[in-house]
């Protein structure tokens, strides 16, 4: 039987986030500015989000490094088990064990 529940040690905590945009068959439509109806620019997002988050949002990289400050906070709340979403894998027809970097 395949593993469904994963309990990670601090050394096994992920160092990157998976960005699905890198594997989509076509790019997602741009987020529109509700005032103008045109694609929103990074400058318009700056009052709402930190620049690093905006860069992640528009990135086409498959793996995005998790900042050390975020990883440190994750370690405070682990070892919350991670559960493999088998039904989600079936729905999207993709075996997610390919994403595990453990």
């Amino acid at each position: 039987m395949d593993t469904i529940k994963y309990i990670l040690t601090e050394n096994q905590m992920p160092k990157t986030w998976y960005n699905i945009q890198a594997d989509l068959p076509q790019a997602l439509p741009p987020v529109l500015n509700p005032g103008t109806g045109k694609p929103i620019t990074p400058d318009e997002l700056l009052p709402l989000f930190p620049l690093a988050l905006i860069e992640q949002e528009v990135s086409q990289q498959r793996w995005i490094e998790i900042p050390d400050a975020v990883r440190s906070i994750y370690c405070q709340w682990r070892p919350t088990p991670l559960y493999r979403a088998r039904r989600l894998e079936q729905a999207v027809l993709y075996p997610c064990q390919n994403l595990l970097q453990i």
Side-chain angles (χ1 to χ4, degrees), residues 15-67:
K15 294 180 174 80
T16 57
W17 283 309
Y18 169 66
N19 181 7
I20 194 170
Q21 292 188 77
D23 292 320
L24 292 177
Q26 59 188 27
L28 294 172
V31 175
L32 301 179
N33 181 317
T36 65
K38 296 180 181 179
I40 200 159
T41 67
D43 287 338
E44 294 170 321
L45 292 172
L46 276 173
L48 302 172
F49 302 104
L51 182 58
L53 190 59
I54 296 168
E55 290 171 349
Q56 290 174 24
E57 182 66 24
V58 299
S59 176
Q60 295 299 311
Q61 291 179 282
R62 182 168 286 111
W63 298 101
I64 297 174
E65 187 174 339
I66 300 172

